[in-house]
């Protein structure tokens, strides 16, 4: 089966403490703070051999927190489209210049759920609203020069914390970003989700794999502890995990409408 996308937990130490995110939880501290660059590049080579077409160089922390991101991005961009989700704080003029030089094809997603300093401090402490917006505007001004860059501003609607955020983000960024999207909270952090568990099979089981900084493979970013390991790609190799019995059994359960037999899937409300 073709592996289409690979997500790497490049770092477990984020520069923000977003209330709807699990980054910074103690359960993550047992894993390496940064993935080995040597191992990450090796996984990318394995993924390309399996037909992979895109890399998500983040999982727990902002990808620009990874000290070796310029090397990782440049190496991966030779063969893969990068899908980069960032809070924008560290994507300054120098970082943008490196992206311009080395990354020709990219989906760049800005996680913004606020339009005021007060909202930002409530929802994403550790960041600076003024710095983030300055960086985002700079990128959005540069992006039209790169026809294979796609930009998205993506926010999370948090009841009582940023009411009306969909309208305000559209007013701020429509016409600048290619897309502006606001999604409901999925409850991964310290907030209460506004959706119910999904019973539909997840497409990601048949298209992508997520790898934590210690090499543990998981189904997706919902299983960040992890509760359900698919194996360890550092020990077994990427192909052995991707086409292995554990993931095959997981796919069968999802297709048979029995995903509730997997604890982490039974409480998941996200459709991947």
């Amino acid at each position: 089966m073709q592996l289409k996308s690979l997500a790497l937990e490049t770092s477990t130490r984020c520069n923000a403490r977003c209330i709807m995110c699990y980054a910074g939880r103690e359960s993550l501290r047992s894993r390496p703070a940064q993935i080995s660059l040597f191992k990450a590049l090796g996984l990318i080579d394995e993924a390309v051999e399996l037909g992979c077409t895109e890399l998500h160089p983040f999982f727990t922390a902002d990808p620009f927190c990874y000290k070796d991101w310029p090397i990782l991005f440049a190496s991966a961009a030779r063969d893969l489209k990068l899908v980069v989700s960032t809070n924008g704080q560290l994507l300054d003029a120098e970082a943008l210049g490196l992206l311009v030089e080395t990354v020709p094809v990219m989906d760049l997603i800005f996680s913004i759920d606020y339009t005021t300093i007060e909202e930002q401090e409530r929802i994403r402490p550790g960041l600076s609203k003024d710095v983030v917006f300055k960086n985002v505007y700079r990128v959005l001004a540069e992006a039209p020069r790169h026809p294979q860059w796609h930009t998205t501003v993506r926010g999370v609607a948090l009841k009582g914390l940023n009411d009306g955020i969909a309208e305000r983000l559209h007013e701020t960024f429509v016409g600048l970003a290619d897309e502006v999207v606001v999604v409901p909270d999925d409850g991964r952090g310290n907030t209460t989700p506004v959706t119910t568990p999904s019973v539909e099979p997840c497409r990601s089981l048949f298209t992508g794999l997520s790898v934590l900084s210690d090499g543990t493979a998981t189904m997706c970013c919902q299983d960040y502890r992890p509760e359900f390991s698919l194996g360890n790609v550092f020990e077994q190799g990427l192909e052995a995990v991707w086409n292995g019995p554990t993931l095959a059994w997981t796919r069968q359960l999802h297709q048979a409408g029995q995903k509730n037999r997997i604890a982490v899937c039974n409480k998941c409300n996200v459709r991947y």
Side-chain angles (χ1 to χ4, degrees):
M1 182 177 296
Q2 180 186 359
L3 173 69
K4 296 181 180 179
S5 68
L6 176 67
L8 292 181
E9 183 183 58
T10 51
S11 175
T12 61
R13 308 295 191 263
C14 194
N15 60 336
R17 301 181 302 280
C18 307
I19 61 171
M20 64 293 209
C21 183
Y22 47 74
R25 289 191 175 185
E26 287 303 315
S27 58
L28 276 60
R29 297 289 172 176
S30 61
R31 298 201 292 271
Q34 306 257 312
I35 196 170
S36 157
L37 177 62
F38 176 78
K39 291 180 178 179
L41 295 177
L43 288 177
I44 291 170
D45 288 341
E46 291 183 62
V48 171
E49 291 180 2
L50 290 171
C52 189
T53 58
E54 63 182 41
L55 174 71
H56 300 239
F58 61 93
F59 190 96
T60 302
D62 190 276
F64 295 100
C65 290
Y66 182 50
K67 63 182 178 64
D68 293 316
W69 76 260
I71 301 173
L72 182 73
F73 281 30
S75 297
R78 299 187 188 114
D79 300 297
L80 304 171
K81 178 176 78 171
L82 296 190
V83 181
V84 180
S85 182
T86 176
N87 58 46
Q89 179 80 21
L90 300 176
L91 215 176
D92 57 16
E94 180 180 0
L96 175 59
L98 291 172
L99 292 179
V100 168
E101 292 175 6
T102 62
V103 182
V105 184
M106 175 173 59
D107 286 351
L108 186 57
I109 305 158
F110 289 104
S111 298
I112 300 176
D113 334 89
Y114 53 87
T115 57
T116 68
I117 293 175
E118 292 73 23
E119 280 182 329
Q120 173 265 305
E121 291 176 344
R122 287 197 302 267
I123 297 170
R124 295 184 182 267
L127 305 181
S128 163
K129 184 260 182 185
D130 290 341
V131 170
V132 169
F133 273 55
K134 180 179 180 180
N135 289 344
V136 172
Y137 284 134
R138 183 190 298 113
V139 172
L140 296 180
E142 174 67 30
R145 300 185 180 93
H146 306 272
Q148 295 188 85
W149 284 15
H150 184 275
T151 58
T152 301
V153 172
R154 181 184 184 276
V156 178
L158 298 159
K159 187 176 182 180
L161 295 175
N162 62 356
D163 295 337
I165 189 61
E167 293 79 7
R168 288 185 282 122
L169 283 182
H170 278 81
E171 290 173 0
T172 305
F173 292 109
V174 164
L176 299 175
D178 295 313
E179 287 187 80
V180 180
V181 180
V182 176
V183 299
D185 177 26
D186 61 25
R188 281 180 289 179
N190 300 317
T191 54
T192 302
V194 295
T195 56
T196 56
S198 166
V199 296
E200 299 175 8
C202 287
R203 294 187 301 274
S204 65
L205 293 174
F206 305 87
T207 59
L209 194 66
S210 297
V211 176
L212 305 182
S213 63
D214 63 0
T216 301
T218 72
M219 295 176 287
C220 69
C221 62
Q222 292 290 314
D223 193 16
Y224 60 88
R225 291 177 178 86
E227 297 179 31
F228 187 75
S229 171
L230 301 173
N232 190 292
V233 296
F234 293 164
E235 300 168 2
Q236 301 166 250
L238 195 64
E239 193 276 336
V241 172
W242 175 245
N243 291 318
T246 303
L247 190 47
W249 176 78
T250 304
R251 293 176 183 131
Q252 290 173 359
L253 288 182
H254 273 244
Q255 288 179 314
Q258 300 178 37
K259 63 189 290 185
N260 62 330
R261 291 175 57 185
I262 304 171
V264 69
C265 297
N266 188 42
K267 58 190 176 185
C268 178
N269 51 51
V270 180
R271 294 173 176 84
Y272 285 112

